[in-house]
Amino acid sequence: QVQLVESGGGLVQAGGSLRLSCAASGRTFSRNAMGWFRQGPGKEREFVAAINWSGGSMYYADSVKGRFTISRDNAKNRMYLQMNSLKPEDTAVYYCAAESGRYYYTGLDYNYDYWGQGTQVTVSS
């Protein structure tokens, strides 16, 4: 059974940092693009960051550019999201996702085939 499991969420003050992890099991995603999405309270799910299979290319939403860094470790079948200078508007459930090998990287949620259950990030002002 293929699973993506996020961890590392929590409560942090504005200006603080968190590092999210996404652990994949059941298959390897070393040849697949992966990404992070988030859904804030009362909001639709939105794209945060994406990374190609090798980790050599990254793509960010304007709202997080310069503050968040996406990375991956294919040997460990893991992906990460380092979040710095967090703002209250970053409060959301964060989801990791993987696609099936069709895209170099993608910011469109419907292009992803596998999803984690989400981890809550709350940023207090």
Side-chain angles (χ1 to χ4, degrees), residues 4 29 32-35 79 96-101 111-116:
L4 298 176
F29 288 102
N32 304 89
M34 298 184 73
M79 179 179 63
C96 70
E99 58 84 47
S100 296
N111 287 336
Y112 288 88
D113 303 289
Y114 304 95
W115 292 85

Side-chain angles (χ1 to χ4, degrees), residues 8-54:
L11 174 64
V12 64
Q13 287 189 330
S17 298
L18 283 174
R19 188 191 193 209
L20 304 184
S21 294
C22 173
S25 62
R27 61 160 285 178
T28 177
F29 288 102
S30 60
R31 291 293 181 179
N32 304 89
M34 298 184 73
W36 289 96
F37 290 78
R38 68 186 181 186
Q39 186 167 17
K43 299 180 181 179
E44 294 189 352
R45 185 168 60 191
E46 64 174 358
F47 168 72
V48 175
I51 190 166
N52 79 315
W53 67 272
S54 70

